[in-house]
Amino acid sequence: MIKISKDKSLLQIDVIHGFLTNAYWAKGRTIKDVEKSISHCLCFGVYLNEKQIGFARIATDYTIFAYLMDVFILEEYRGKGYSKQLIEAVTSDEALKTCTVWMLKTLDAHGLYKQFGYKELSNPNLLMERLL
């Protein structure tokens, strides 16, 4: 049975960095970048027998907006429903209950996120981005 926790002291930065630095959306992210991003976000660690096997972080104002990022389950632990449990824990968290706007960017796992109400933008004209 997995444990999902928001306790940042349990996060295993080497595991998180090891995954993210090779992920298509975070390739080359430094360990300092990972530490800084964790310090400024609400984070969820996924643990199996004290070993971190997954992660998600949310940038939020805890009132209106929540942006889901850096979601992963280590490859060797996929296919067991852990990602679904993680997203359930994130989206039902008491601290985020008043957030009415949730966003994420992803190239994959659309089926997972759709189970939790995510969908393609209904009006993409309203959304802009600035990429550097």
Side-chain angles (χ1 to χ4, degrees):
M1 178 154 178
I2 63 168
K3 172 184 173 181
I4 298 175
S5 174
K6 296 187 294 184
D7 183 347
K8 288 184 183 180
S9 72
L10 298 177
L11 294 173
Q12 297 167 14
I13 304 299
D14 57 328
V15 172
I16 298 167
H17 176 256
F19 183 88
L20 291 179
T21 195
N22 293 305
Y24 70 84
W25 69 87
K27 193 166 287 295
R29 196 176 289 176
T30 68
I31 198 154
K32 285 191 183 292
D33 292 338
V34 170
E35 291 170 337
K36 185 176 180 182
S37 68
I38 286 171
S39 72
H40 292 285
C41 289
L42 175 62
C43 299
F44 291 76
V46 182
Y47 307 91
L48 183 64
N49 301 324
E50 311 295 318
K51 175 181 172 29
Q52 185 163 1
I53 63 164
F55 179 74
R57 74 182 175 92
I58 297 88
T60 184
D61 61 8
Y62 293 96
T63 306
I64 307 294
F65 185 76
Y67 188 88
L68 180 60
M69 298 178 278
D70 293 342
V71 179
F72 71 85
I73 298 293
L74 294 176
E75 191 169 341
E76 59 267 33
Y77 298 97
R78 293 180 189 166
K80 300 176 184 345
Y82 298 153
S83 60
K84 190 172 182 175
Q85 291 177 59
L86 173 57
I87 301 306
E88 173 65 34
V90 169
T91 57
S92 66
D93 190 80
E94 188 68 20
L96 302 171
K97 72 178 183 176
T98 64
C99 292
T100 56
V101 177
W102 286 74
M103 297 194 77
L104 68 85
K105 274 185 163 181
T106 186
L107 289 176
D108 52 16
H110 291 84
L112 168 67
Y113 298 116
K114 284 181 178 183
Q115 294 175 54
F116 295 93
Y118 287 90
K119 60 183 181 173
E120 288 78 17
L121 295 174
S122 56
N123 193 347
N125 300 1
L126 295 176
L127 187 67
M128 297 177 70
E129 66 182 359
R130 179 177 180 237
L131 302 174
L132 303 176

PDB file of all heavy atoms in Angstrom, residues 24-57:
ATOM      1  N   TYR A  24      10.600  14.892 -20.513  1.00  0.00           N
ATOM      2  CA  TYR A  24      10.532  15.787 -21.673  1.00  0.00           C
ATOM      3  C   TYR A  24      10.229  17.225 -21.281  1.00  0.00           C
ATOM      4  O   TYR A  24      10.668  18.159 -21.926  1.00  0.00           O
ATOM      5  CB  TYR A  24       9.509  15.281 -22.705  1.00  0.00           C
ATOM      6  CG  TYR A  24       8.053  15.390 -22.292  1.00  0.00           C
ATOM      7  CD1 TYR A  24       7.340  16.571 -22.469  1.00  0.00           C
ATOM      8  CD2 TYR A  24       7.389  14.304 -21.727  1.00  0.00           C
ATOM      9  CE1 TYR A  24       6.006  16.675 -22.093  1.00  0.00           C
ATOM     10  CE2 TYR A  24       6.058  14.392 -21.353  1.00  0.00           C
ATOM     11  CZ  TYR A  24       5.372  15.577 -21.537  1.00  0.00           C
ATOM     12  OH  TYR A  24       4.053  15.671 -21.162  1.00  0.00           O
ATOM     13  N   TRP A  25       9.505  17.442 -20.203  1.00  0.00           N
ATOM     14  CA  TRP A  25       9.105  18.799 -19.825  1.00  0.00           C
ATOM     15  C   TRP A  25      10.125  19.478 -18.897  1.00  0.00           C
ATOM     16  O   TRP A  25      10.010  20.665 -18.645  1.00  0.00           O
ATOM     17  CB  TRP A  25       7.731  18.803 -19.162  1.00  0.00           C
ATOM     18  CG  TRP A  25       7.696  18.158 -17.804  1.00  0.00           C
ATOM     19  CD1 TRP A  25       7.963  18.770 -16.607  1.00  0.00           C
ATOM     20  CD2 TRP A  25       7.411  16.804 -17.488  1.00  0.00           C
ATOM     21  NE1 TRP A  25       7.851  17.875 -15.567  1.00  0.00           N
ATOM     22  CE2 TRP A  25       7.499  16.653 -16.101  1.00  0.00           C
ATOM     23  CE3 TRP A  25       7.071  15.684 -18.253  1.00  0.00           C
ATOM     24  CZ2 TRP A  25       7.283  15.436 -15.463  1.00  0.00           C
ATOM     25  CZ3 TRP A  25       6.847  14.482 -17.613  1.00  0.00           C
ATOM     26  CH2 TRP A  25       6.947  14.370 -16.243  1.00  0.00           C
ATOM     27  N   ALA A  26      11.099  18.724 -18.383  1.00  0.00           N
ATOM     28  CA  ALA A  26      12.033  19.304 -17.416  1.00  0.00           C
ATOM     29  C   ALA A  26      13.472  18.900 -17.696  1.00  0.00           C
ATOM     30  O   ALA A  26      14.322  18.997 -16.812  1.00  0.00           O
ATOM     31  CB  ALA A  26      11.631  18.875 -16.004  1.00  0.00           C
ATOM     32  N   LYS A  27      13.746  18.455 -18.894  1.00  0.00           N
ATOM     33  CA  LYS A  27      15.074  17.953 -19.245  1.00  0.00           C
ATOM     34  C   LYS A  27      16.160  18.963 -18.873  1.00  0.00           C
ATOM     35  O   LYS A  27      16.070  20.126 -19.211  1.00  0.00           O
ATOM     36  CB  LYS A  27      15.129  17.636 -20.737  1.00  0.00           C
ATOM     37  CG  LYS A  27      16.346  16.830 -21.127  1.00  0.00           C
ATOM     38  CD  LYS A  27      16.233  16.245 -22.511  1.00  0.00           C
ATOM     39  CE  LYS A  27      15.273  15.107 -22.629  1.00  0.00           C
ATOM     40  NZ  LYS A  27      15.565  13.908 -21.919  1.00  0.00           N
ATOM     41  N   GLY A  28      17.121  18.491 -18.121  1.00  0.00           N
ATOM     42  CA  GLY A  28      18.245  19.334 -17.741  1.00  0.00           C
ATOM     43  C   GLY A  28      18.014  20.217 -16.529  1.00  0.00           C
ATOM     44  O   GLY A  28      18.893  20.986 -16.137  1.00  0.00           O
ATOM     45  N   ARG A  29      16.855  20.127 -15.889  1.00  0.00           N
ATOM     46  CA  ARG A  29      16.579  20.945 -14.699  1.00  0.00           C
ATOM     47  C   ARG A  29      17.614  20.605 -13.623  1.00  0.00           C
ATOM     48  O   ARG A  29      17.880  19.451 -13.357  1.00  0.00           O
ATOM     49  CB  ARG A  29      15.164  20.656 -14.202  1.00  0.00           C
ATOM     50  CG  ARG A  29      14.642  21.701 -13.235  1.00  0.00           C
ATOM     51  CD  ARG A  29      13.210  21.428 -12.831  1.00  0.00           C
ATOM     52  NE  ARG A  29      12.264  21.677 -13.930  1.00  0.00           N
ATOM     53  CZ  ARG A  29      10.955  21.430 -13.833  1.00  0.00           C
ATOM     54  NH1 ARG A  29      10.448  20.942 -12.720  1.00  0.00           N
ATOM     55  NH2 ARG A  29      10.159  21.687 -14.854  1.00  0.00           N
ATOM     56  N   THR A  30      18.195  21.617 -13.031  1.00  0.00           N
ATOM     57  CA  THR A  30      19.224  21.382 -12.014  1.00  0.00           C
ATOM     58  C   THR A  30      18.599  21.006 -10.677  1.00  0.00           C
ATOM     59  O   THR A  30      17.411  21.252 -10.433  1.00  0.00           O
ATOM     60  CB  THR A  30      20.099  22.638 -11.797  1.00  0.00           C
ATOM     61  OG1 THR A  30      19.289  23.655 -11.179  1.00  0.00           O
ATOM     62  CG2 THR A  30      20.689  23.143 -13.107  1.00  0.00           C
ATOM     63  N   ILE A  31      19.405  20.464  -9.810  1.00  0.00           N
ATOM     64  CA  ILE A  31      18.916  20.109  -8.475  1.00  0.00           C
ATOM     65  C   ILE A  31      18.510  21.372  -7.711  1.00  0.00           C
ATOM     66  O   ILE A  31      17.526  21.365  -6.973  1.00  0.00           O
ATOM     67  CB  ILE A  31      19.921  19.241  -7.700  1.00  0.00           C
ATOM     68  CG1 ILE A  31      19.209  18.538  -6.549  1.00  0.00           C
ATOM     69  CG2 ILE A  31      21.117  20.039  -7.232  1.00  0.00           C
ATOM     70  CD1 ILE A  31      19.844  17.252  -6.113  1.00  0.00           C
ATOM     71  N   LYS A  32      19.223  22.483  -7.934  1.00  0.00           N
ATOM     72  CA  LYS A  32      18.844  23.755  -7.298  1.00  0.00           C
ATOM     73  C   LYS A  32      17.481  24.225  -7.810  1.00  0.00           C
ATOM     74  O   LYS A  32      16.670  24.744  -7.039  1.00  0.00           O
ATOM     75  CB  LYS A  32      19.908  24.819  -7.532  1.00  0.00           C
ATOM     76  CG  LYS A  32      21.153  24.624  -6.682  1.00  0.00           C
ATOM     77  CD  LYS A  32      22.040  25.846  -6.771  1.00  0.00           C
ATOM     78  CE  LYS A  32      23.324  25.691  -6.002  1.00  0.00           C
ATOM     79  NZ  LYS A  32      23.185  25.648  -4.581  1.00  0.00           N
ATOM     80  N   ASP A  33      17.223  24.042  -9.106  1.00  0.00           N
ATOM     81  CA  ASP A  33      15.912  24.382  -9.675  1.00  0.00           C
ATOM     82  C   ASP A  33      14.818  23.547  -9.016  1.00  0.00           C
ATOM     83  O   ASP A  33      13.749  24.062  -8.674  1.00  0.00           O
ATOM     84  CB  ASP A  33      15.872  24.130 -11.185  1.00  0.00           C
ATOM     85  CG  ASP A  33      16.745  25.071 -11.982  1.00  0.00           C
ATOM     86  OD1 ASP A  33      17.074  26.173 -11.487  1.00  0.00           O
ATOM     87  OD2 ASP A  33      17.110  24.697 -13.124  1.00  0.00           O
ATOM     88  N   VAL A  34      15.075  22.269  -8.841  1.00  0.00           N
ATOM     89  CA  VAL A  34      14.096  21.369  -8.224  1.00  0.00           C
ATOM     90  C   VAL A  34      13.828  21.794  -6.785  1.00  0.00           C
ATOM     91  O   VAL A  34      12.672  21.901  -6.352  1.00  0.00           O
ATOM     92  CB  VAL A  34      14.573  19.900  -8.301  1.00  0.00           C
ATOM     93  CG1 VAL A  34      13.690  18.987  -7.460  1.00  0.00           C
ATOM     94  CG2 VAL A  34      14.620  19.425  -9.749  1.00  0.00           C
ATOM     95  N   GLU A  35      14.881  22.067  -6.045  1.00  0.00           N
ATOM     96  CA  GLU A  35      14.721  22.488  -4.642  1.00  0.00           C
ATOM     97  C   GLU A  35      13.940  23.793  -4.544  1.00  0.00           C
ATOM     98  O   GLU A  35      13.043  23.929  -3.706  1.00  0.00           O
ATOM     99  CB  GLU A  35      16.097  22.631  -3.979  1.00  0.00           C
ATOM    100  CG  GLU A  35      16.795  21.312  -3.774  1.00  0.00           C
ATOM    101  CD  GLU A  35      18.240  21.456  -3.334  1.00  0.00           C
ATOM    102  OE1 GLU A  35      18.865  22.521  -3.577  1.00  0.00           O
ATOM    103  OE2 GLU A  35      18.762  20.491  -2.754  1.00  0.00           O
ATOM    104  N   LYS A  36      14.252  24.750  -5.403  1.00  0.00           N
ATOM    105  CA  LYS A  36      13.559  26.041  -5.375  1.00  0.00           C
ATOM    106  C   LYS A  36      12.090  25.878  -5.731  1.00  0.00           C
ATOM    107  O   LYS A  36      11.212  26.463  -5.089  1.00  0.00           O
ATOM    108  CB  LYS A  36      14.239  27.022  -6.323  1.00  0.00           C
ATOM    109  CG  LYS A  36      13.671  28.418  -6.283  1.00  0.00           C
ATOM    110  CD  LYS A  36      14.463  29.353  -7.194  1.00  0.00           C
ATOM    111  CE  LYS A  36      13.919  30.758  -7.164  1.00  0.00           C
ATOM    112  NZ  LYS A  36      14.660  31.645  -8.086  1.00  0.00           N
ATOM    113  N   SER A  37      11.798  25.089  -6.753  1.00  0.00           N
ATOM    114  CA  SER A  37      10.408  24.894  -7.158  1.00  0.00           C
ATOM    115  C   SER A  37       9.607  24.204  -6.059  1.00  0.00           C
ATOM    116  O   SER A  37       8.447  24.546  -5.822  1.00  0.00           O
ATOM    117  CB  SER A  37      10.320  24.114  -8.475  1.00  0.00           C
ATOM    118  OG  SER A  37      10.739  22.780  -8.320  1.00  0.00           O
ATOM    119  N   ILE A  38      10.207  23.274  -5.368  1.00  0.00           N
ATOM    120  CA  ILE A  38       9.542  22.589  -4.250  1.00  0.00           C
ATOM    121  C   ILE A  38       9.263  23.570  -3.116  1.00  0.00           C
ATOM    122  O   ILE A  38       8.186  23.552  -2.519  1.00  0.00           O
ATOM    123  CB  ILE A  38      10.384  21.389  -3.781  1.00  0.00           C
ATOM    124  CG1 ILE A  38      10.277  20.254  -4.798  1.00  0.00           C
ATOM    125  CG2 ILE A  38       9.972  20.934  -2.387  1.00  0.00           C
ATOM    126  CD1 ILE A  38      11.232  19.106  -4.556  1.00  0.00           C
ATOM    127  N   SER A  39      10.212  24.441  -2.844  1.00  0.00           N
ATOM    128  CA  SER A  39      10.053  25.363  -1.716  1.00  0.00           C
ATOM    129  C   SER A  39       8.898  26.344  -1.917  1.00  0.00           C
ATOM    130  O   SER A  39       8.346  26.849  -0.945  1.00  0.00           O
ATOM    131  CB  SER A  39      11.355  26.122  -1.446  1.00  0.00           C
ATOM    132  OG  SER A  39      11.593  27.087  -2.451  1.00  0.00           O
ATOM    133  N   HIS A  40       8.517  26.582  -3.173  1.00  0.00           N
ATOM    134  CA  HIS A  40       7.468  27.561  -3.469  1.00  0.00           C
ATOM    135  C   HIS A  40       6.126  26.940  -3.844  1.00  0.00           C
ATOM    136  O   HIS A  40       5.226  27.659  -4.295  1.00  0.00           O
ATOM    137  CB  HIS A  40       7.926  28.495  -4.598  1.00  0.00           C
ATOM    138  CG  HIS A  40       9.055  29.382  -4.188  1.00  0.00           C
ATOM    139  ND1 HIS A  40       8.888  30.469  -3.367  1.00  0.00           N
ATOM    140  CD2 HIS A  40      10.377  29.323  -4.475  1.00  0.00           C
ATOM    141  CE1 HIS A  40      10.052  31.041  -3.164  1.00  0.00           C
ATOM    142  NE2 HIS A  40      10.971  30.379  -3.825  1.00  0.00           N
ATOM    143  N   CYS A  41       5.983  25.634  -3.689  1.00  0.00           N
ATOM    144  CA  CYS A  41       4.759  24.959  -4.121  1.00  0.00           C
ATOM    145  C   CYS A  41       4.244  23.987  -3.063  1.00  0.00           C
ATOM    146  O   CYS A  41       4.972  23.582  -2.164  1.00  0.00           O
ATOM    147  CB  CYS A  41       5.029  24.168  -5.410  1.00  0.00           C
ATOM    148  SG  CYS A  41       5.279  25.203  -6.855  1.00  0.00           S
ATOM    149  N   LEU A  42       3.001  23.609  -3.222  1.00  0.00           N
ATOM    150  CA  LEU A  42       2.414  22.522  -2.457  1.00  0.00           C
ATOM    151  C   LEU A  42       2.835  21.236  -3.155  1.00  0.00           C
ATOM    152  O   LEU A  42       2.631  21.093  -4.365  1.00  0.00           O
ATOM    153  CB  LEU A  42       0.888  22.647  -2.450  1.00  0.00           C
ATOM    154  CG  LEU A  42       0.103  21.527  -1.779  1.00  0.00           C
ATOM    155  CD1 LEU A  42       0.444  21.428  -0.295  1.00  0.00           C
ATOM    156  CD2 LEU A  42      -1.396  21.745  -1.979  1.00  0.00           C
ATOM    157  N   CYS A  43       3.442  20.321  -2.413  1.00  0.00           N
ATOM    158  CA  CYS A  43       3.983  19.105  -3.023  1.00  0.00           C
ATOM    159  C   CYS A  43       3.393  17.857  -2.387  1.00  0.00           C
ATOM    160  O   CYS A  43       3.106  17.830  -1.187  1.00  0.00           O
ATOM    161  CB  CYS A  43       5.500  19.080  -2.865  1.00  0.00           C
ATOM    162  SG  CYS A  43       6.330  20.460  -3.675  1.00  0.00           S
ATOM    163  N   PHE A  44       3.252  16.838  -3.209  1.00  0.00           N
ATOM    164  CA  PHE A  44       2.765  15.535  -2.773  1.00  0.00           C
ATOM    165  C   PHE A  44       3.804  14.484  -3.151  1.00  0.00           C
ATOM    166  O   PHE A  44       4.160  14.372  -4.324  1.00  0.00           O
ATOM    167  CB  PHE A  44       1.449  15.192  -3.481  1.00  0.00           C
ATOM    168  CG  PHE A  44       0.288  16.053  -3.065  1.00  0.00           C
ATOM    169  CD1 PHE A  44       0.168  17.356  -3.517  1.00  0.00           C
ATOM    170  CD2 PHE A  44      -0.695  15.546  -2.233  1.00  0.00           C
ATOM    171  CE1 PHE A  44      -0.907  18.144  -3.149  1.00  0.00           C
ATOM    172  CE2 PHE A  44      -1.775  16.330  -1.848  1.00  0.00           C
ATOM    173  CZ  PHE A  44      -1.882  17.635  -2.303  1.00  0.00           C
ATOM    174  N   GLY A  45       4.274  13.739  -2.170  1.00  0.00           N
ATOM    175  CA  GLY A  45       5.171  12.625  -2.432  1.00  0.00           C
ATOM    176  C   GLY A  45       4.398  11.326  -2.332  1.00  0.00           C
ATOM    177  O   GLY A  45       3.483  11.201  -1.520  1.00  0.00           O
ATOM    178  N   VAL A  46       4.777  10.362  -3.153  1.00  0.00           N
ATOM    179  CA  VAL A  46       4.181   9.028  -3.132  1.00  0.00           C
ATOM    180  C   VAL A  46       5.269   8.063  -2.685  1.00  0.00           C
ATOM    181  O   VAL A  46       6.358   8.041  -3.271  1.00  0.00           O
ATOM    182  CB  VAL A  46       3.648   8.617  -4.529  1.00  0.00           C
ATOM    183  CG1 VAL A  46       2.983   7.257  -4.461  1.00  0.00           C
ATOM    184  CG2 VAL A  46       2.702   9.668  -5.080  1.00  0.00           C
ATOM    185  N   TYR A  47       4.958   7.259  -1.663  1.00  0.00           N
ATOM    186  CA  TYR A  47       5.955   6.392  -1.050  1.00  0.00           C
ATOM    187  C   TYR A  47       5.454   4.954  -0.968  1.00  0.00           C
ATOM    188  O   TYR A  47       4.281   4.705  -0.681  1.00  0.00           O
ATOM    189  CB  TYR A  47       6.291   6.885   0.360  1.00  0.00           C
ATOM    190  CG  TYR A  47       6.692   8.340   0.364  1.00  0.00           C
ATOM    191  CD1 TYR A  47       5.741   9.334   0.557  1.00  0.00           C
ATOM    192  CD2 TYR A  47       8.001   8.718   0.112  1.00  0.00           C
ATOM    193  CE1 TYR A  47       6.088  10.674   0.519  1.00  0.00           C
ATOM    194  CE2 TYR A  47       8.360  10.058   0.075  1.00  0.00           C
ATOM    195  CZ  TYR A  47       7.401  11.031   0.279  1.00  0.00           C
ATOM    196  OH  TYR A  47       7.733  12.358   0.230  1.00  0.00           O
ATOM    197  N   LEU A  48       6.371   4.035  -1.203  1.00  0.00           N
ATOM    198  CA  LEU A  48       6.119   2.614  -1.035  1.00  0.00           C
ATOM    199  C   LEU A  48       7.273   2.068  -0.203  1.00  0.00           C
ATOM    200  O   LEU A  48       8.433   2.145  -0.638  1.00  0.00           O
ATOM    201  CB  LEU A  48       6.046   1.910  -2.392  1.00  0.00           C
ATOM    202  CG  LEU A  48       5.714   0.432  -2.378  1.00  0.00           C
ATOM    203  CD1 LEU A  48       4.311   0.186  -1.817  1.00  0.00           C
ATOM    204  CD2 LEU A  48       5.817  -0.154  -3.784  1.00  0.00           C
ATOM    205  N   ASN A  49       6.958   1.591   0.987  1.00  0.00           N
ATOM    206  CA  ASN A  49       8.000   1.082   1.894  1.00  0.00           C
ATOM    207  C   ASN A  49       9.119   2.108   2.113  1.00  0.00           C
ATOM    208  O   ASN A  49      10.298   1.787   1.973  1.00  0.00           O
ATOM    209  CB  ASN A  49       8.580  -0.235   1.381  1.00  0.00           C
ATOM    210  CG  ASN A  49       7.528  -1.301   1.230  1.00  0.00           C
ATOM    211  OD1 ASN A  49       6.596  -1.391   2.025  1.00  0.00           O
ATOM    212  ND2 ASN A  49       7.657  -2.111   0.203  1.00  0.00           N
ATOM    213  N   GLU A  50       8.736   3.348   2.387  1.00  0.00           N
ATOM    214  CA  GLU A  50       9.669   4.445   2.668  1.00  0.00           C
ATOM    215  C   GLU A  50      10.428   4.958   1.438  1.00  0.00           C
ATOM    216  O   GLU A  50      11.187   5.909   1.534  1.00  0.00           O
ATOM    217  CB  GLU A  50      10.688   4.060   3.758  1.00  0.00           C
ATOM    218  CG  GLU A  50      10.095   3.458   5.010  1.00  0.00           C
ATOM    219  CD  GLU A  50       9.208   4.427   5.788  1.00  0.00           C
ATOM    220  OE1 GLU A  50       9.589   5.595   5.921  1.00  0.00           O
ATOM    221  OE2 GLU A  50       8.143   3.997   6.251  1.00  0.00           O
ATOM    222  N   LYS A  51      10.278   4.323   0.290  1.00  0.00           N
ATOM    223  CA  LYS A  51      10.957   4.760  -0.933  1.00  0.00           C
ATOM    224  C   LYS A  51      10.005   5.645  -1.722  1.00  0.00           C
ATOM    225  O   LYS A  51       8.852   5.289  -1.950  1.00  0.00           O
ATOM    226  CB  LYS A  51      11.354   3.536  -1.772  1.00  0.00           C
ATOM    227  CG  LYS A  51      11.956   3.891  -3.127  1.00  0.00           C
ATOM    228  CD  LYS A  51      12.294   2.629  -3.917  1.00  0.00           C
ATOM    229  CE  LYS A  51      12.719   2.850  -5.331  1.00  0.00           C
ATOM    230  NZ  LYS A  51      13.356   4.027  -5.736  1.00  0.00           N
ATOM    231  N   GLN A  52      10.503   6.799  -2.157  1.00  0.00           N
ATOM    232  CA  GLN A  52       9.669   7.678  -2.966  1.00  0.00           C
ATOM    233  C   GLN A  52       9.567   7.116  -4.373  1.00  0.00           C
ATOM    234  O   GLN A  52      10.567   6.862  -5.033  1.00  0.00           O
ATOM    235  CB  GLN A  52      10.215   9.099  -3.003  1.00  0.00           C
ATOM    236  CG  GLN A  52       9.272  10.023  -3.746  1.00  0.00           C
ATOM    237  CD  GLN A  52       9.529  11.483  -3.493  1.00  0.00           C
ATOM    238  OE1 GLN A  52      10.435  11.864  -2.766  1.00  0.00           O
ATOM    239  NE2 GLN A  52       8.705  12.317  -4.104  1.00  0.00           N
ATOM    240  N   ILE A  53       8.319   6.955  -4.840  1.00  0.00           N
ATOM    241  CA  ILE A  53       8.082   6.396  -6.172  1.00  0.00           C
ATOM    242  C   ILE A  53       7.289   7.358  -7.060  1.00  0.00           C
ATOM    243  O   ILE A  53       7.062   7.065  -8.229  1.00  0.00           O
ATOM    244  CB  ILE A  53       7.361   5.039  -6.100  1.00  0.00           C
ATOM    245  CG1 ILE A  53       5.969   5.194  -5.485  1.00  0.00           C
ATOM    246  CG2 ILE A  53       8.205   4.024  -5.341  1.00  0.00           C
ATOM    247  CD1 ILE A  53       5.052   4.001  -5.739  1.00  0.00           C
ATOM    248  N   GLY A  54       6.873   8.488  -6.497  1.00  0.00           N
ATOM    249  CA  GLY A  54       6.096   9.436  -7.285  1.00  0.00           C
ATOM    250  C   GLY A  54       6.077  10.814  -6.664  1.00  0.00           C
ATOM    251  O   GLY A  54       6.518  11.010  -5.522  1.00  0.00           O
ATOM    252  N   PHE A  55       5.512  11.754  -7.423  1.00  0.00           N
ATOM    253  CA  PHE A  55       5.566  13.158  -7.007  1.00  0.00           C
ATOM    254  C   PHE A  55       4.562  13.971  -7.820  1.00  0.00           C
ATOM    255  O   PHE A  55       4.233  13.625  -8.948  1.00  0.00           O
ATOM    256  CB  PHE A  55       6.976  13.694  -7.266  1.00  0.00           C
ATOM    257  CG  PHE A  55       7.189  15.132  -6.919  1.00  0.00           C
ATOM    258  CD1 PHE A  55       7.282  15.549  -5.599  1.00  0.00           C
ATOM    259  CD2 PHE A  55       7.331  16.084  -7.919  1.00  0.00           C
ATOM    260  CE1 PHE A  55       7.496  16.883  -5.286  1.00  0.00           C
ATOM    261  CE2 PHE A  55       7.550  17.421  -7.614  1.00  0.00           C
ATOM    262  CZ  PHE A  55       7.636  17.817  -6.286  1.00  0.00           C
ATOM    263  N   ALA A  56       4.091  15.040  -7.234  1.00  0.00           N
ATOM    264  CA  ALA A  56       3.319  16.073  -7.941  1.00  0.00           C
ATOM    265  C   ALA A  56       3.504  17.372  -7.170  1.00  0.00           C
ATOM    266  O   ALA A  56       3.626  17.361  -5.942  1.00  0.00           O
ATOM    267  CB  ALA A  56       1.837  15.707  -8.004  1.00  0.00           C
ATOM    268  N   ARG A  57       3.520  18.478  -7.899  1.00  0.00           N
ATOM    269  CA  ARG A  57       3.564  19.769  -7.214  1.00  0.00           C
ATOM    270  C   ARG A  57       2.536  20.686  -7.838  1.00  0.00           C
ATOM    271  O   ARG A  57       2.192  20.567  -9.004  1.00  0.00           O
ATOM    272  CB  ARG A  57       4.959  20.369  -7.191  1.00  0.00           C
ATOM    273  CG  ARG A  57       5.473  20.944  -8.438  1.00  0.00           C
ATOM    274  CD  ARG A  57       6.910  21.473  -8.259  1.00  0.00           C
ATOM    275  NE  ARG A  57       7.403  21.909  -9.544  1.00  0.00           N
ATOM    276  CZ  ARG A  57       7.305  23.140 -10.002  1.00  0.00           C
ATOM    277  NH1 ARG A  57       6.778  24.096  -9.259  1.00  0.00           N
ATOM    278  NH2 ARG A  57       7.755  23.457 -11.205  1.00  0.00           N
TER     279      ARG A  57
END
